[in-house]
Amino acid sequence: MAGNKDFDLYRPSEEHDELRKVVRSLAEAKIAPFAAEVDEEGRFPQEALDALTASDLHAVHVPEEFGGAGADALATVIVIEEVARVCASSSLIPAVNKLGSLPVVLSGSDELKKKYLGPLAKGEGMFSYCLSEPDAGSDAAGMKTRAVRDGDFWVLNGVKRWITNAGVSEYYTVMAVTDPEKRSKGISAFVVEKSDEGVSFGAPEKKLGIKGSPTREVYLDNVRIPADRMIGEEGTGFATAMKTLDHTRITIAAQALGIAQGALDYAKGYVQERKQFGKPIADFQGVQFMLADMAMKIEAARQLTYAAAAKSERGDSDLTFQGAAAKCFASDVAMEVTVDAVQLLGGYGYTRDYPVERMMRDAKITQIYEGTNQVQRIVMARNLP
Ligand SMILES: Cc1cc2nc3c(=O)[nH]c(=O)nc-3n(C[C@H](O)[C@H](O)[C@H](O)COP(=O)(O)OP(=O)(O)OC[C@H]3O[C@@H](n4cnc5c(N)ncnc54)[C@H](O)[C@@H]3O)c2cc1C
């Protein structure tokens, strides 16, 4: 028998279970009541940010030595999953705080970590992640944003597109070309601040889902920043950006999982109440089989996601495959399960009077961002176990 160390699945500890209870009750009391309104009005979920920050759940991944909660990868997944269960837009607060700051955690100097992770942990400023551009999405290494050295400074020019929480965040990890001859090895990462001269933002995108999460362009117009704002060595920015995604795709899997669970939970309640042909529709085998399939897929996605979180925590060599697999699988499950939830509510499910159509629209993004699911398959194929 393989010892526990060799066993891939990561059984949540009592502490993890306790954390889930705390986040679930906070999410139900303080985030769920605003989820429909945030979606309808396309506004930032300030109530969620306030509630998460007050409970120190807005950026749980920040290590204790930098003033954070020091949550492990599974605990971070549980926070995101439980918030997404009631409001996907709000779950992007803890998720993108991790995405934006992980390059600093993984590759930043101690000074950079102290300077930026402390304020993030205290709730003084959120972090965004700026990799994508108008003409560089799946082929992110084809970016055009330039950083040119000028004495003790770097001067950045370019446009980053689709940046989650842009305008709300104080801090931005920006990937920019420092040596155009070297393609991905000529890209470096920097921390840019919202208050840096030359930083501005485009109009919020009008989206299908996650309407409460602002997505905007970030314009960099001769932004002059001190050289010590570079994250890691010159030319290592793309590698840091990809390493970051290995860890954070698991948080998108967590978001997908939460959305799917929220849809199943709602549908489960509805089918007991709704009567047709003189009995609750839950009594029909056709409905029961749909619910069974939904629950089965969610459980498979959960096991894959938690196992990936364990790999992220341990830094296992097969993390790249597992993170991509978890994100790809869980997001496909979220899409299938939310479509089925709409189906189970019939005509009512198709209206905005019920939350499942929002969940279906929100689920779609999990198949697209942090690399589309086609890109995840490329990543998996290149890293087959
Ligand atoms: C709401 C939202 C929030 C986002 N947040 C952020 C963020 O915070 N930071 C950030 O940097 N980016 C962010 N993104 C960008 C996101 O990661 C990209 O949209 C995504 O990587 C796809 O890039 P693209 O949109 O340019 O699509 P494209 O790359 O143009 O892809 C179009 C289609 O072609 C397919 N395709 C492309 N290449 C291949 C291939 N080699 N093989 C097979 N199929 C392929 C794709 O899978 C897709 O179906 C966000 C996007 C959205 C919509």
Side-chain angles (χ1 to χ4, degrees):
M1 279 283 278
N4 205 31
K5 211 155 48 75
D6 304 320
F7 195 53
D8 264 352
L9 295 183
Y10 196 74
R11 164 139 175 64
S13 66
E14 275 173 29
E15 263 186 324
H16 289 113
D17 291 342
E18 197 47 46
L19 174 70
R20 184 189 299 281
K21 274 192 214 142
V22 168
V23 185
R24 180 165 294 197
S25 77
L26 175 133
E28 284 181 347
K30 303 210 164 133
I31 299 176
F34 302 98
E37 183 183 310
V38 154
D39 172 68
E40 194 74 32
E41 296 175 5
R43 67 166 177 86
F44 182 73
Q46 188 61 42
E47 298 86 351
L49 177 61
D50 294 345
L52 290 168
T53 307
S55 300
D56 216 4
L57 292 168
H58 60 292
V60 284
H61 67 285
V62 176
E64 279 172 352
E65 57 180 309
F66 300 106
D72 62 35
L74 181 62
T76 308
V77 156
I78 289 171
V79 170
I80 295 165
E81 179 188 345
E82 288 301 325
V83 175
R85 185 174 156 273
V86 302
C87 177
S89 292
S90 300
S91 72
L92 282 159
I93 293 168
V96 175
N97 273 338
K98 180 164 182 178
L99 172 68
S101 64
L102 204 61
V104 176
V105 174
L106 292 174
S107 309
S109 64
D110 255 12
E111 290 69 43
L112 222 48
K113 287 181 190 169
K114 276 191 204 119
K115 183 164 181 199
Y116 291 107
L117 298 179
L120 171 64
K122 282 194 211 123
E124 292 168 3
M126 299 211 294
F127 246 100
S128 288
Y129 177 87
C130 305
L131 178 67
S132 307
E133 297 187 358
D135 296 320
S138 300
D139 181 15
M143 67 177 64
K144 295 197 184 82
T145 295
R146 275 289 265 141
V148 177
R149 181 106 196 197
D150 180 16
D152 287 341
F153 294 86
W154 285 92
V155 180
L156 276 66
N157 277 288
V159 178
K160 291 293 175 180
R161 196 177 171 99
W162 312 115
I163 307 308
T164 299
N165 292 341
V168 181
S169 291
E170 285 298 322
Y171 312 120
Y172 298 80
T173 296
V174 174
M175 271 53 77
V177 176
T178 43
D179 185 345
E181 304 291 304
K182 294 191 181 154
R183 208 173 134 86
S184 67
K185 293 204 166 68
I187 291 170
S188 305
F190 301 87
V191 179
V192 170
E193 299 183 12
K194 181 179 172 178
S195 56
D196 287 331
E197 210 178 317
V199 175
S200 60
F201 306 99
E205 304 290 345
K206 298 180 185 132
K207 308 191 298 290
L208 174 72
I210 54 159
K211 293 187 181 208
S213 171
T215 315
R216 300 168 72 175
E217 285 189 322
V218 175
Y219 305 121
L220 304 159
D221 182 16
N222 281 320
V223 178
R224 200 176 157 79
I225 56 172
D228 61 11
R229 293 245 213 110
M230 184 181 271
I231 303 170
E233 297 293 308
E234 188 177 339
T236 61
F238 194 75
T240 296
M242 293 303 112
K243 206 166 153 201
T244 296
L245 294 178
D246 281 346
H247 294 275
T248 58
R249 280 176 179 145
I250 300 162
T251 68
I252 302 305
Q255 186 186 35
L257 194 54
I259 297 170
Q261 187 68 55
L264 174 62
D265 289 349
Y266 196 88
K268 236 167 44 184
Y270 183 88
V271 298
Q272 316 274 355
E273 302 293 322
R274 176 69 175 169
K275 289 200 176 96
Q276 289 294 282
F277 302 99
K279 47 177 142 170
I281 58 170
D283 286 1
F284 300 118
Q285 198 179 49
V287 166
Q288 291 167 7
F289 281 10
M290 281 178 74
L291 289 162
D293 279 346
M294 290 156 80
M296 171 181 71
K297 289 173 189 171
I298 290 173
E299 197 46 36
R302 179 168 289 117
Q303 296 298 336
L304 198 55
T305 304
Y306 290 5
K311 287 179 183 296
S312 160
E313 192 57 36
R314 294 192 299 252
D316 287 358
S317 58
D318 58 350
L319 170 65
T320 303
F321 173 86
Q322 192 90 11
K327 188 268 191 194
C328 189
F329 189 82
S331 60
D332 285 350
V333 164
M335 203 64 242
E336 289 163 20
V337 165
T338 53
V339 167
D340 283 350
V342 170
Q343 189 70 19
L344 284 172
L345 267 72
Y348 296 98
Y350 199 65
T351 70
R352 288 203 288 235
D353 298 331
Y354 292 83
V356 287
E357 65 82 36
R358 165 169 53 85
M359 294 167 174
M360 186 184 95
R361 288 184 285 106
D362 288 345
K364 185 62 204 167
I365 192 59
T366 63
Q367 295 181 308
I368 295 173
Y369 57 18
E370 295 207 24
T372 65
N373 280 3
Q374 288 95 327
V375 165
Q376 304 308 318
R377 288 179 168 91
I378 296 171
V379 171
M380 284 186 275
R382 283 184 188 152
N383 293 278
L384 288 175

